[in-house]
Amino acid sequence: MSKPVDQSRMDRIVSLAKRRGFIFQSSEIYGGLNGFWDYGPLGVAMKRNLKECWWQDMVAGHDELMTINGAPSAYEMTGLDCTIIMHPQVWKCSGHFDLFHDWMVDCRESKRRFRYDHLQGKWATYRKSKVFITTDVSGDDAEPDLVGKAQKFFKLRAKQVGEIEWSGSLVALAGNSPDDSIPLGEAVAPDASEKGTLTDPREFNLMFETRIGALAGGKDDLAFLRPETAQGIFLNFKNVLDTSRVRVPFGIGQIGKSFRNEITPRNFTFRSREFEQMEIEFFCRPDDSRAWYQFWRDRRWQWYLNLGLTEGRLQLREHHEAELAHYSRGTADIEYAFPFLADGEYGELEGIAHRGDFDLRSHMEGKLVRENGELVLETDSDGKPKYRGSGRDLSYFDDVSRERFVPHVIEPSAGADRAVLAFLCDAYHEDSVPDEKGNPRERTVLKLHPRLAPLKAAILPLVKKDGMPEVAADLYRRIKKRMPCMYDAKGSVGRRYARQDEAGTPWCITIDGQTMKDQTVTLRDRDSLTQERVPIDECAAILTERLV
Ligand code: GAP
């Protein structure tokens, strides 16, 4: 059995997120809704900051006149905001209607449903009875959980647990292929008291269905909540070309909600049923597409580093040939070592995919499938297209080279909620700092990049008298015009610092007796704990300068 876990670190992060109003369970007063999360006052500010950083760094602030290091040429960027519900044919041509599914198994005894590929376990033998004990717990907690489940299954007392013989290592119930999957008749489902209670795996489409119109009911009214924002961009490719001056190579960015009816949402907000994506579809010439793919992989990797994620907890993982989706000519994932995962395991933050001409062709011609290495129109038994495309010409005419082609697409697709979670986990620190009397005090601090921090500064009058509150309130108003900040006069200065450290506020400004004499204040830095004296009139400018 592997070493026991420090699950408590993740628990402490989740508890801080709730206690300080970053993230709440949706519909909590009704018992909560699995896979849905609300962002509280600090959380909404942090998430907006994250999305704003992405939009500014990738779209609005992009300098199309210069060639960024590593880019094959200069390029343009623009944006869109498309609807969540689109024409149902979109999902038929994109492949989501037929292919966007996971395999699930149900437990006949506990009535619980599991994602087949999320169940893992080990063979356990007790007095000649051998079964495959399973768990849906991931990470370092999985093995201790198996021991508890085996104890329950064999009906043992704690002191008999050592008599269970374990063989083999922890493996997926589904195996790496159908040939090495574990026979379901031998498997004990999580929470089951007998073996063989799991049903055969069944496909489960992850798209949420809805109906359009007051007279809804027929099959033609069926629509879907989008499972990705990307498709809206492909549908508007021609609109953007015809109405703006962008020319290939160019990218279109979009931030918005996506919905997936995940079978087993888990790990806090990591796998949710409603979440936000930040996606770019970048259109380029086919012969340059490989170079653009490399460029976007590196650029997106650097973005996470620039905003402060620890490089040692990040990895860029290129997919193997067998892992690639049928349309993909190359995909790399940017992954983060989340604390709920076992040592050496990583969770996806963003995928960067080289999608070739699959998407634009699908929406012109209809649903495509790969045959003998080529993408061809899928046909039904009568030889007719299985799902017809729009029939609109989505090719591009390059007026410099005088060539017509279907652009290739590079897609950096990031999740806003996963990024917020990664930045929260990475920023979470527990350390010890001297209090006002110089004694060590334990503190919890979120070392968030100032651009991501919900509040940039707190203005603290040392005492509620001697004119200090008035001076502090005036400074608060001046700073608030430039950035989010708060005024806090409650409790000792030490307690006020502690509150701001937990909220991730990078700077605290204290108005004290000396301020009243020489118009200087103390500027405290959350991470270095340095305290400088700066003129009160320069405070707003100093913070603005540091906020990069
Ligand atoms: N258009 C491509 C696409 O949607 P994806 O890998 O399925 O690709 C992109 O999703 C990103 O969206 C992921 O890297 C992840 O950050 C986020 N994401 C996907 N499913 C999610 C879920 N159930 N909960 C939270 N974020 C999710």
Side-chain angles (χ1 to χ4, degrees):
M1 290 281 145
S2 75
K3 65 179 169 56
V5 226
D6 179 17
Q7 167 65 26
S8 63
R9 179 177 163 78
M10 192 61 210
D11 293 345
R12 292 197 301 277
I13 294 170
V14 173
S15 142
L16 173 91
K18 163 128 206 233
R19 188 173 76 249
R20 293 310 312 268
F22 279 90
I23 301 172
F24 307 125
Q25 169 93 65
S26 162
S27 321
E28 197 184 70
I29 61 169
Y30 285 102
L33 193 59
N34 202 6
F36 297 88
W37 299 94
D38 294 336
Y39 286 80
L42 290 181
V44 68
M46 178 177 168
K47 192 174 178 193
R48 285 180 73 107
N49 291 344
L50 177 106
K51 291 186 287 180
E52 186 48 38
C53 285
W54 184 90
W55 188 259
Q56 176 60 22
D57 298 345
M58 296 298 125
V59 183
H62 172 68
D63 179 350
E64 64 209 36
L65 303 179
M66 69 173 238
T67 302
I68 299 178
N69 239 344
S73 67
Y75 62 90
E76 293 175 87
M77 286 298 298
T78 187
L80 272 177
D81 182 14
C82 307
T83 58
I84 284 168
I85 296 174
M86 289 177 248
H87 196 293
Q89 194 69 5
V90 171
W91 309 109
K92 294 187 172 157
C93 292
S94 70
H96 287 82
F97 186 75
D98 286 348
L99 301 171
F100 195 58
H101 55 68
D102 279 334
W103 291 92
M104 62 171 186
V105 285
D106 288 302
C107 174
R108 293 187 203 91
E109 184 186 325
S110 69
K111 308 291 178 226
R112 285 184 63 197
R113 174 165 288 176
F114 303 97
R115 231 175 96 165
Y116 186 39
D117 62 343
H118 279 177
L119 290 183
Q120 49 175 348
K122 267 179 133 175
W123 289 101
T125 309
Y126 180 74
R127 297 199 178 152
K128 296 203 177 125
S129 156
K130 184 173 180 184
V131 286
F132 187 80
I133 304 281
T134 67
T135 175
D136 57 334
V137 171
S138 57
D140 289 343
D141 282 354
E143 298 219 15
D145 190 62
L146 284 180
V147 176
K149 290 195 164 27
Q151 180 186 352
K152 213 166 120 199
F153 175 75
F154 292 120
K155 300 191 178 60
L156 305 180
R157 285 198 292 276
K159 63 179 182 194
Q160 293 172 293
V161 163
E163 293 170 39
I164 302 170
E165 281 172 45
W166 295 93
S167 48
S169 51
L170 191 67
V171 289
L173 181 70
N176 291 322
S177 67
D179 298 340
D180 62 8
S181 61
I182 307 290
L184 290 175
E186 300 305 314
V188 178
D191 303 331
S193 60
E194 295 168 39
K195 65 178 185 177
T197 61
L198 288 172
T199 59
D200 283 335
R202 279 180 293 148
E203 284 179 23
F204 175 78
N205 195 297
L206 299 182
M207 284 197 293
F208 276 101
E209 293 180 3
T210 187
R211 302 266 165 194
I212 297 175
L215 298 176
K219 77 174 172 34
D220 294 341
D221 312 312
L222 186 64
F224 304 92
L225 305 191
R226 66 180 177 199
E228 59 170 23
T229 61
Q231 296 303 322
I233 301 182
F234 300 127
L235 305 189
N236 281 294
F237 170 71
K238 207 75 187 168
N239 280 339
V240 172
L241 267 185
D242 292 348
T243 56
S244 64
R245 291 173 48 204
V246 291
R247 311 301 302 155
V248 167
F250 72 94
I252 304 178
Q254 172 165 220
I255 299 179
K257 290 260 183 174
S258 292
F259 301 80
R260 296 184 188 178
N261 201 357
E262 298 283 356
I263 298 169
T264 46
R266 53 161 71 185
N267 292 330
F268 201 23
T269 57
F270 181 82
R271 191 175 304 287
S272 309
R273 288 178 165 140
E274 175 175 343
F275 54 95
E276 268 182 288
Q277 291 184 309
M278 309 182 292
E279 297 200 291
I280 294 170
E281 305 305 324
F282 187 81
F283 302 94
C284 58
R285 291 178 61 89
D287 40 8
D288 291 340
S289 57
R290 212 66 231 168
W292 282 113
Y293 170 62
Q294 302 285 348
F295 165 74
W296 278 107
R297 269 180 19 165
D298 299 345
R299 183 155 163 73
R300 293 300 306 143
W301 168 262
Q302 194 55 46
W303 186 78
Y304 291 100
L305 293 183
N306 291 351
L307 282 174
L309 277 194
T310 308
E311 187 160 7
R313 296 188 75 81
L314 272 178
Q315 81 169 7
L316 186 67
R317 191 177 65 82
E318 194 74 49
H319 285 208
H320 308 293
E321 191 77 23
E323 230 185 313
L324 292 178
H326 62 289
Y327 51 77
S328 174
R329 295 164 179 233
T331 298
D333 286 343
I334 299 176
E335 301 177 329
Y336 181 74
F338 286 96
F340 50 77
L341 298 171
D343 270 359
E345 285 182 16
Y346 292 80
E348 179 186 328
L349 281 183
E350 168 159 357
I352 298 103
H354 183 324
R355 303 177 62 103
D357 58 7
F358 173 79
D359 305 282
L360 291 177
R361 273 187 59 200
S362 301
H363 289 303
M364 284 197 278
E365 301 167 29
K367 187 183 170 215
L368 301 175
V369 286
R370 191 167 287 282
E371 262 175 29
N372 304 321
E374 296 290 311
L375 286 173
V376 294
L377 196 60
E378 185 173 2
T379 48
D380 61 18
S381 50
D382 300 331
K384 297 204 179 104
K386 184 169 182 199
Y387 300 122
R388 275 179 204 287
S390 66
R392 295 281 293 274
D393 180 9
L394 302 179
S395 67
Y396 173 83
F397 182 70
D398 186 329
D399 32 24
V400 178
S401 67
R402 316 294 301 160
E403 285 169 279
R404 181 168 287 284
F405 57 89
V406 178
H408 278 202
V409 169
I410 311 299
E411 179 195 65
S413 169
D417 306 80
R418 282 198 191 167
V420 165
L421 185 58
F423 281 107
L424 267 183
C425 292
D426 211 73
Y428 183 92
H429 287 82
E430 289 159 356
D431 60 15
S432 167
V433 296
D435 67 11
E436 290 113 290
K437 296 190 183 111
N439 299 320
R441 176 179 60 79
E442 302 299 304
R443 75 163 179 169
T444 302
V445 53
L446 286 184
K447 296 189 176 179
L448 289 170
H449 190 289
R451 289 179 76 194
L452 296 180
L455 294 166
K456 312 303 177 192
I459 325 299
L460 321 173
L462 185 63
V463 288
K464 286 195 224 161
K465 56 181 185 183
D466 302 335
M468 290 182 210
E470 291 73 15
V471 174
D474 179 59
L475 180 62
Y476 159 78
R477 287 190 195 104
R478 276 193 272 161
I479 294 184
K480 188 102 190 208
K481 283 197 188 121
R482 301 209 193 185
M483 64 190 73
C485 64
M486 79 176 280
Y487 174 93
D488 186 4
K490 268 199 212 126
S492 71
V493 165
R495 286 182 73 87
R496 284 182 266 167
Y497 283 160
R499 276 202 291 271
Q500 296 305 327
D501 287 344
E502 270 198 343
T505 310
W507 300 291
C508 285
I509 300 169
T510 309
I511 284 72
D512 54 18
Q514 199 177 326
T515 314
M516 311 314 286
K517 292 185 207 138
D518 66 4
Q519 279 74 54
T520 63
V521 293
T522 312
L523 179 59
R524 171 190 184 263
D525 183 279
R526 176 197 66 200
D527 301 343
S528 66
L529 296 172
T530 52
Q531 303 212 5
E532 347 160 31
R533 275 301 325 158
V534 299
I536 196 163
D537 286 342
E538 289 175 23
C539 271
I542 292 173
L543 296 192
T544 307
E545 203 173 286
R546 291 186 188 177
L547 196 60
V548 282

